[in-house]
């Protein structure tokens, strides 16, 4: 969440807790605050603490909902009642947070809550419910889905849950809240978008009678009819504003989509009631029903307090999914014929979309949110439809919330209250660019992105200039005739389209060198220890600051590997911060990663201290993975042993290897670790079996224990068996077909191939060669959305450099250079140097896994012919420990 008022640098992400909040609600409380009560405001909730603390850990709590208009009056009434009952409470800190809690996109279990009250006894809970029911009987607010409504009140709700946070964090940094059951055991404090009580709790005000036997159970009808004629079959998606359901019209059996709108919920800050907007959407669909460019409206009806819109179900996929599944731009092995077919079919979609938009504008309708998500493509015919008219309105006679999809809006649109025709035109230009270039989102940060992307596509594929001209016209500031633009696209010939060239300009290595230097310069320019929370520009995906993946440690690691040193201020800060923190045990997000960095810095004592922390961490044996569990800690131990020659460290690493061999779960093909309760298994390098296999390979190289090699082979076999046409899924489930496969290093095929490559190097087993050759082809991309090590080009290029290194393959080196050339579209030029977009966001990142630090490391390895840097020790695998001079016989 961005701070709406005090961004010091618009490129930087400021976490929500750094937001400057309004004192508007606080002033209401301060004007009537009893002398012994204290107020503790934070960025989200403001807590009121009494002279004697409520020591209850859990119990019945009361939630109060309110509209923006009634908030101050509600706050004053409830506060006085709570003070009279000596009861602590909290409230949404300011109107900005309150708006969020009343918006469509807040979590449904949090939506609508304005105040939370913590009664110190069941008797006070009972009394407060009744008193607040009377005090607020004239008020209205949104229904709080996680709670039960008290009597007929529109604003008083209650549920059972925790008062004090009993938190449990897993190895990924994900936190769950807990309560104690009647046997004093931790159980999860489930916060569901429906009323729920733990088994040991009985609702004091509406106890649920449980049938004594099955014959007394009330049978639920097999179908439920809404609006007289419609049956809901399944949920498509939920939001705080209401659900979207797949249904059936019982009159003719046809599929329908049913959209729900809840009262007092808006589509965004400043947006109107969701019911008003749904009614407007129905009227718009009626207005354009003769165009057949959107679902036909079927019905609009109310049930309870909710409004429901029923519309025709359109068979198809989103344009975003269509591009992901069909684009040949991202297929390295695509032939000229493949590319001609893609350019032709995608251009025809663009033509239809322009004519559709022109027809809407002819009826004076602004769509407001053209994006690849809101455009549907019918299979077979490739007919174009629009869905989701939440942002649409009729010029001069209606309005709509100014909602838009990031990356499809011109600069300054977020400062306006209403969209216009030129916004539609600009978004159409973004869509046309997106169909032929890897990303349009970077336009938000890169003013020259359009020129760079079109120039690269033209040079690589010989795309006709007419397509470029249409894109530029649509993205321009002047309104154009969309029909004429469509005519121009329709006349394009793609006969001269060519396939992606392997070669790159002869001077490219000097360009890559310059890019690496500029990345380093930007990191250095924005290093600061004045604010401990932002040593470098914060990554939007950062969970822990002291982590390799998205935190300070990863950026420092990149600087250390590239320049062989870091400044003394950063070195001292790292040592101090890691000494006094309590990180997780893992390699990518915890102490094992800190140990690896300290060993690179020749800080052996600090590295050893971090390794002790990892080995003693209570979560160590809860996960096996390379990125977050035992295998990563084991890799850091071996790295420390290589650096220090301390045999005790190797012994500790081998104990972890023994544990992993013992805990392996045998499968029909290979073995795996970390099988979830639903039998799903993470795949890939960082979370899957191949990452564990990488550690076991190193343990085998260090010890010669055959069992380690055997389990490494079987771990790799498990992941390899899940290969798909475009890579691998992130998660395998025996009963579910994967929908998305990935080529990338983090969780895709290239990460697995990185391990298979080294396994082949040790075993020379020829059965691995076909997999490695396919991975080499898959990694040879130049056009991807992101550039990072984890889920982007740098990781693909890193594997190709591995391939070139282990096989002495000059073609792989040339392909890695081509991959690196694609990074030009993923690096943002600033006066201080180059940075990267945060993952699909509008701020910059210098992180290791997704930002410019990892990209700079890849470029550095490319131009210096350097060694692999992504947590492998190739000197050990090749039988020679260079730093200690000890020869290891594999």
């Amino acid at each position: 969440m961005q701070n709406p008022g005090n961004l010091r640098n618009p490129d930087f992400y400021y976490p929500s807790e750094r937001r400057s909040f309004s004192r508007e609600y606080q002033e209401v409380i301060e004007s009537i605050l009893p002398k012994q009560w204290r107020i503790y405001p934070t960025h989200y909730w403001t807590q009121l603490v009494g002279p004697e603390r409520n020591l209850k850990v859990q119990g019945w709590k009361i939630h109060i909902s309110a509209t923006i208009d009634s908030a101050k009056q509600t706050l004053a009434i409830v506060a006085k009642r709570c003070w009279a009952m000596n009861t602590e409470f909290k409230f949404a800190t300011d109107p900005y947070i309150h708006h969020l809690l009343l918006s469509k996109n807040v979590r449904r279990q949090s939506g609508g809550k304005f105040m939370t009250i913590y009664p110190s006894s069941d008797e006070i809970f009972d009394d407060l419910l009744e008193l607040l029911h009377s005090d607020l009987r004239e008020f209205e607010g949104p229904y709080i889905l996680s709670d039960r409504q008290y009597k007929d009140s529109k604003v008083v709700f209650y549920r059972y849950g925790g008062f004090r946070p009993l938190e449990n964090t897993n190895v990924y940094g994900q936190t769950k809240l807990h309560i104690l059951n009647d046997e004093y055991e931790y159980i999860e404090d489930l916060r569901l978008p429906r009323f729920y009580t733990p088994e040991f709790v009985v609702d004091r005000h509406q106890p649920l009678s449980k049938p004594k036997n099955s014959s007394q159970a009330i049978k639920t009808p097999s179908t439920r009819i809404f609006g007289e004629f419609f049956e809901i079959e399944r949920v498509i998606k939920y939001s705080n504003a209401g659900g979207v359901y797949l249904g059936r019209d019982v009159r003719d059996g046809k599929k329908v989509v049913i959209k729900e709108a809840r009262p007092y919920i808006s589509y965004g800050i400043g947006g109107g009631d969701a019911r008003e907007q749904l009614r407007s959407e129905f009227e718009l669909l009626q207005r354009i029903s003769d165009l057949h460019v959107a679902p036909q409206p079927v019905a609009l009806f109310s049930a309870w307090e909710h409004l429901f819109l029923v519309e025709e179900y359109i068979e198809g996929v989103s344009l975003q999914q269509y591009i992901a599944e069909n684009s040949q731009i991202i297929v390295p092995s695509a032939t000229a014929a493949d590319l001609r077919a893609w350019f032709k079919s995608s251009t025809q979609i663009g033509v239809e979309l322009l004519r559709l938009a022109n027809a809407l504008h002819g009826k004076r309708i602004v769509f407001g949110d053209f994006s690849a998500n809101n455009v549907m493509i019918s299979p077979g015919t490739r007919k174009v439809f629009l869905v989701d008219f939440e942002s649409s309105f009729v010029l001069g006679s209606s309005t709509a919330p100014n909602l838009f999809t990031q990356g499809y809006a011109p600069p300054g649109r977020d400062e306006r209250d209403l969209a216009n025709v030129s916004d539609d035109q600009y978004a159409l230009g973004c869509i046309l660019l997106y169909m032929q270039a890897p990303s349009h989102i970077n336009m938000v940060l890169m003013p020259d992105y359009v020129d760079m992307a079109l120039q690269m596509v033209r040079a690589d594929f010989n795309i006709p200039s007419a397509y470029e001209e249409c894109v530029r016209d649509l993205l321009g500031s002047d309104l154009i005739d969309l029909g004429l633009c469509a005519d121009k696209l329709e006349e394009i010939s793609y006969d001269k389209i060519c396939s992606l060239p392997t070669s790159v300009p002869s001077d490219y290595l000097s360009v890559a060198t310059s890019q690496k230097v500029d990345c380093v310069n930007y990191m250095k320019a924005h290093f600061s220890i004045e604010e401990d929370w932002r040593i470098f520009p914060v990554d939007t995906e950062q969970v822990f600051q002291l982590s390799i993946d998205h935190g300070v440690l990863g950026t420092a690691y990149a600087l250390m590997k590239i320049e062989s040193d870091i400044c003394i201020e950063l070195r001292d800060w790292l040592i101090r911060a890691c000494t006094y923190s309590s990180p997780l045990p893992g390699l990518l997000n915890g102490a094992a990663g800190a140990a690896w960095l300290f060993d690179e810095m020749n800080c052996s004592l600090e590295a050893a201290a971090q390794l002790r922390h990892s080995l003693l961490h209570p979560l160590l044996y809860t996960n096996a993975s390379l990125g977050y569990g035992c295998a990563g800690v084991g890799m850091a131990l071996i790295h420390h042993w290589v650096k220090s020659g301390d045999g005790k460290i190797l012994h500790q690493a081998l104990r972890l290897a023994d544990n992993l061999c013992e805990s392996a779960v045998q499968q029909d093909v290979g073995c795996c670790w970390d099988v979830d309760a639903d039998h799903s298994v993470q795949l890939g390098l960082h979370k899957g079996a191949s990452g564990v296999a990488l550690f076991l390979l190193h343990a085998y190289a260090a010890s010669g224990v055959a069992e380690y090699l055997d389990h490494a082979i079987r771990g790799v076999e498990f992941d390899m068996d899940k290969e798909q046409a475009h890579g691998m899924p992130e998660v395998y489930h025996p009963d579910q077909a994967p929908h998305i496969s990935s080529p990338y290093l983090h969780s895709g095929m290239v990460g697995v191939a990185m391990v298979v490559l080294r396994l082949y190097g040790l075993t020379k087993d020829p059965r691995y060669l076909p997999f490695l050759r396919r991975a080499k082809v898959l990694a040879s991309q130049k056009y991807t959305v992101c550039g990072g090590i984890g889920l982007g080009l740098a990781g693909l290029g890193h594997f190709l450099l591995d391939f070139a290194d282990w096989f002495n393959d000059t073609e792989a080196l040339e392909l890695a250079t081509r991959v690196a050339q694609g990074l030009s579209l993923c690096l943002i030029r600033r006066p201080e140097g180059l940075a990267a977009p945060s993952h699909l966001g509008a701020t910059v990142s210098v992180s290791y896994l997704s930002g410019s630090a990892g990209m700079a490391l890849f470029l550095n390895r490319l131009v210096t012919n350097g060694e692999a840097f992504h947590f492998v020790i190739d000197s050990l695998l090749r039988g020679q420990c260079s730093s200690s001079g000890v020869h290891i016989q594999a």
Side-chain angles (χ1 to χ4, degrees):
M1 185 199 322
Q2 290 292 321
N3 177 350
N6 71 334
L7 287 180
R8 287 160 287 179
N9 187 328
D11 278 346
F12 293 174
Y13 170 73
Y14 287 80
S16 56
E17 59 267 25
R18 299 291 163 183
R19 185 180 69 89
S20 294
F21 45 82
S22 158
R23 299 186 74 257
E24 192 171 338
Y25 290 167
Q26 189 175 334
E27 287 171 352
V28 172
I29 290 295
E30 288 174 340
S31 65
I32 54 176
L33 184 69
K35 292 181 179 179
Q36 289 188 314
W37 280 75
R38 291 157 291 170
I39 184 167
Y40 291 95
T42 69
H43 74 285
Y44 208 96
W45 295 108
T46 292
Q47 191 86 30
L48 270 294
V49 177
E52 297 181 9
R53 294 305 312 270
N54 180 357
L55 299 179
K56 287 188 71 172
V57 174
Q58 62 198 54
W60 289 103
K61 60 177 73 174
I62 300 170
H63 286 119
I64 305 297
S65 71
T67 65
I68 296 296
D69 291 339
S70 66
K72 291 181 182 180
Q73 191 178 359
T74 298
L75 182 58
I77 292 171
V78 176
K80 290 176 182 177
R81 183 63 71 184
C82 287
W83 290 329
M85 305 287 285
N86 196 29
T87 298
E88 296 181 354
F89 62 95
K90 69 180 181 182
F91 59 90
T93 288
D94 63 8
Y96 177 74
I97 295 298
H98 192 187
H99 270 294
L100 292 182
L101 291 166
L102 295 175
S103 68
K104 173 184 176 181
N105 293 322
V106 74
R107 292 189 311 160
R108 297 171 68 236
Q109 50 266 55
S110 301
K113 296 175 182 175
F114 174 56
M115 300 182 70
T116 304
I117 302 167
Y118 303 98
S120 57
S121 69
D122 288 345
E123 292 71 26
I124 291 178
F125 167 72
D126 295 339
D127 291 344
L128 270 173
L129 275 178
E130 191 60 37
L131 290 167
L132 290 171
H133 175 266
S134 175
D135 291 341
L136 303 173
R137 60 185 176 275
E138 302 299 327
F139 290 76
E140 294 190 356
Y143 194 99
I144 298 175
L145 297 175
S146 62
D147 289 30
R148 172 163 281 161
Q149 181 181 21
Y150 183 67
K151 295 184 176 179
D152 60 346
S153 175
K154 297 293 183 68
V155 295
V156 181
F157 303 83
Y158 64 93
R159 68 176 287 266
Y160 189 93
F163 286 17
R164 305 279 177 243
L166 301 176
E167 296 181 344
N168 182 29
T169 302
N170 65 16
V171 294
Y172 303 120
Q174 299 162 336
T175 299
K176 288 183 179 179
L177 295 174
H178 290 78
I179 56 175
L180 298 173
N181 66 12
D182 52 348
E183 296 184 357
Y184 304 103
E185 300 168 325
Y186 271 30
I187 61 171
E188 186 177 355
D189 185 6
L190 293 174
R191 302 183 178 207
L192 305 175
R194 59 177 174 81
F195 183 69
Y196 162 84
T197 55
E199 290 184 359
F200 66 93
V201 174
V202 175
D203 185 346
R204 296 170 57 81
H205 293 275
Q206 194 172 343
L208 297 175
S209 58
K210 298 181 180 179
K212 296 180 180 180
N213 55 58
S214 58
S215 64
Q216 293 178 301
I218 299 173
K219 294 183 178 180
T220 302
S222 57
T223 61
R224 183 180 178 185
I225 304 300
F226 281 80
E228 297 187 66
F229 306 114
F230 308 105
E231 174 192 352
I232 291 178
E233 295 182 344
R234 65 175 175 87
V235 176
I236 297 175
K237 65 179 180 180
Y238 275 128
S239 76
N240 190 41
V244 179
Y245 310 94
L246 179 65
R248 184 177 67 90
D249 190 328
V250 297
R251 294 170 295 185
D252 55 17
K254 289 183 178 179
K255 289 183 179 181
V256 292
V257 171
I258 303 171
K259 294 184 175 183
E260 176 186 23
R262 298 175 57 216
Y264 307 109
I265 302 298
S266 69
Y267 280 116
I269 294 178
D273 188 287
R275 293 174 301 177
E276 296 173 10
Q277 201 55 39
L278 194 65
R279 185 173 286 106
S280 175
E281 184 172 348
F282 178 72
E283 293 169 355
L284 278 168
L285 291 176
Q286 288 181 313
R287 186 183 181 102
I288 63 172
S289 61
D290 59 313
L291 298 179
H292 300 285
V293 298
Q296 292 294 310
V298 177
L300 185 73
F301 64 89
S302 295
W304 190 40
E305 297 176 339
H306 296 195
L307 187 68
F308 292 87
L309 183 158
V310 184
E311 63 186 28
E312 172 192 15
Y313 173 78
I314 292 179
E315 196 81 44
V317 299
S318 70
L319 179 57
Q320 181 168 334
Q321 182 179 344
Y322 181 85
I323 293 170
E325 293 176 351
N326 295 279
S327 173
Q328 297 300 299
I329 299 288
I330 59 175
V331 179
S333 58
T335 65
D338 295 332
L339 286 156
R340 279 194 293 271
W342 166 250
F343 278 115
K344 184 176 180 181
S345 63
S346 58
T347 299
Q348 188 54 45
I349 289 172
V351 168
E352 280 207 42
L353 193 54
L354 288 168
R355 298 200 190 286
L356 181 158
N358 203 34
L360 286 182
H361 294 167
K363 287 182 175 284
R364 297 184 55 76
I365 292 174
V366 174
F367 184 66
D369 192 18
F370 276 108
S371 75
N373 292 316
N374 291 340
V375 175
M376 297 289 291
I377 308 298
S378 181
T381 63
R382 289 198 290 269
K383 181 173 174 56
V384 176
F385 294 90
L386 291 180
V387 294
D388 292 338
F389 281 71
E390 295 172 350
S391 305
S392 306
F393 64 96
V394 180
L395 280 168
S397 61
S398 66
T399 60
N402 185 27
L403 300 178
F404 56 88
T405 304
Q406 190 176 61
Y408 294 90
R413 176 168 172 181
D414 57 343
E415 299 171 4
R416 292 188 268 119
D417 295 328
L418 199 63
N420 55 44
V421 172
S422 65
D423 293 323
D424 281 356
Q425 177 180 299
Y426 185 91
L428 291 168
C430 293
I431 291 175
L432 258 64
L433 180 65
Y434 179 37
M435 288 196 289
Q436 314 305 356
S439 175
H440 55 289
I441 295 177
N442 291 355
M443 292 168 58
V444 178
L445 289 166
M446 301 170 64
D448 54 350
Y449 178 82
V450 175
D451 291 336
M452 293 171 61
L454 291 174
Q455 181 180 347
M456 189 176 287
V457 171
R458 184 196 327 126
D460 284 340
F461 304 112
N462 198 31
I463 186 172
S465 59
Y467 195 95
E468 286 188 55
E469 292 166 6
C470 285
V471 171
R472 294 183 190 280
D473 288 345
L474 289 165
L475 295 175
S477 56
D478 296 330
L479 287 177
I480 65 169
D481 188 318
L482 298 182
L484 292 178
C485 186
D487 292 342
K488 188 174 183 178
L489 284 177
E490 212 160 26
E491 294 171 359
I492 291 177
S493 169
Y494 289 110
D495 293 342
K496 295 182 180 180
I497 291 291
C498 60
S499 58
L500 185 65
T502 302
S503 61
V504 297
S506 58
D507 65 343
Y508 176 69
L509 286 183
S510 64
V511 174
T513 301
S514 176
Q515 289 177 330
K516 175 202 68 172
V517 170
D518 286 344
C519 286
V520 169
N521 288 341
Y522 188 91
M523 287 183 251
K524 288 181 173 181
H526 290 287
F527 161 69
S528 172
I529 58 173
E530 293 180 5
E531 299 173 294
D532 268 5
W533 66 273
R534 188 185 66 79
I535 304 303
F536 294 102
V538 179
D539 194 300
T540 55
E541 296 181 274
Q542 178 178 291
V543 177
F544 294 105
Q545 184 185 39
L546 295 176
S547 66
I548 291 285
D549 53 5
H550 304 290
V552 176
L553 300 185
T555 307
Y557 176 65
L559 291 172
M560 187 71 211
K561 294 294 286 185
I562 293 171
E563 299 203 322
S564 301
D565 199 7
I566 56 175
C567 68
I568 190 66
E569 293 86 357
L570 178 55
R571 176 185 294 265
D572 289 346
W573 185 91
L574 289 168
I575 292 172
R576 183 174 64 253
C578 290
T579 299
Y580 293 105
S581 71
S582 299
L584 294 171
L587 183 61
L588 285 180
N589 67 343
W596 194 294
L597 171 60
F598 283 136
D599 271 325
E600 293 291 329
M601 293 163 51
N602 295 317
C603 297
S604 183
L605 292 177
E606 287 79 5
Q610 293 299 310
L611 290 171
R612 283 194 297 272
H613 182 91
S614 289
L615 288 169
L616 295 173
H617 201 288
L619 294 177
L620 175 62
Y621 291 106
T622 64
N623 184 272
S625 71
L626 178 71
Y628 309 94
C630 278
V633 175
M635 278 300 304
L637 286 165
I638 289 181
H639 183 246
H640 187 65
W641 165 68
V642 169
K643 292 282 188 180
S644 68
D646 187 344
K648 293 180 181 178
I649 296 296
L650 177 60
H651 176 70
Q652 291 172 324
L654 298 184
R655 285 191 64 187
L656 291 181
D658 291 337
N659 173 270
L660 289 168
C661 290
E662 185 178 322
S663 61
V665 181
Q666 302 302 321
Q667 302 287 336
D668 293 339
V669 177
C671 67
C672 62
W673 291 263
D674 302 327
V675 180
D676 289 341
D678 67 348
H679 307 293
S680 62
V681 184
Q682 298 282 337
L683 300 177
L685 178 65
H686 291 159
K687 293 184 178 180
S690 55
V692 179
L694 183 66
F695 164 56
L696 292 175
L697 275 183
H698 285 78
Y700 166 72
S703 67
V705 175
E707 185 183 16
Y708 302 156
L709 178 60
D710 177 65
H711 279 82
I713 290 171
R714 291 187 58 73
V716 161
E717 285 175 346
F718 179 81
D719 275 2
M720 286 174 60
D721 185 58
K722 309 305 178 289
E723 180 186 353
Q724 309 242 309
H726 299 291
M728 297 176 55
E730 184 174 346
V731 180
Y732 164 74
H733 192 288
D735 300 324
Q736 296 175 7
H739 298 293
I740 299 175
S741 59
S742 163
Y744 300 115
L745 184 143
H746 173 66
S747 56
M749 186 171 175
V750 160
V752 177
M754 198 181 107
V755 185
V756 175
L757 181 67
R758 288 163 172 82
L759 182 58
Y760 174 79
L762 283 176
T763 65
K764 296 296 186 275
D765 189 332
R767 63 180 168 150
Y768 298 124
L769 291 175
F771 180 87
L772 289 171
R773 294 189 186 107
R774 292 193 297 273
K776 174 186 172 183
V777 172
L778 199 61
S780 304
Q781 300 191 24
K782 185 178 178 180
Y783 293 91
T784 66
V785 175
C786 301
I789 284 288
L791 296 171
L793 284 173
L796 301 180
H798 186 270
F799 166 71
L800 289 170
L801 291 178
D802 278 353
F803 199 100
D805 184 19
W806 283 81
F807 284 104
N808 195 26
D809 187 320
T810 56
E811 183 189 39
L813 180 60
E814 192 170 40
L815 291 172
T817 308
R818 183 178 75 179
V819 167
Q821 193 185 21
L823 285 178
S824 297
L825 298 183
C826 305
L827 289 168
I828 305 162
R829 173 65 62 185
R830 291 294 184 262
E832 308 93 322
L834 289 171
S838 56
H839 186 66
L840 303 181
T843 55
V844 306
S845 169
V846 298
S847 72
Y848 173 76
L849 209 58
S850 60
S852 58
M855 299 181 203
L857 268 173
F858 162 59
L859 290 171
N860 182 67
R861 185 184 179 194
L862 176 70
V863 299
T864 63
N865 193 29
E867 62 183 10
F869 56 80
H870 192 66
F871 309 110
V872 295
I873 311 169
D874 284 345
S875 59
L876 176 63
L877 297 181
R878 286 180 162 126
Q880 177 64 43
C881 183
S882 58
S883 62
S884 64
V886 179
H887 182 73
I888 306 298
Q889 185 64 46

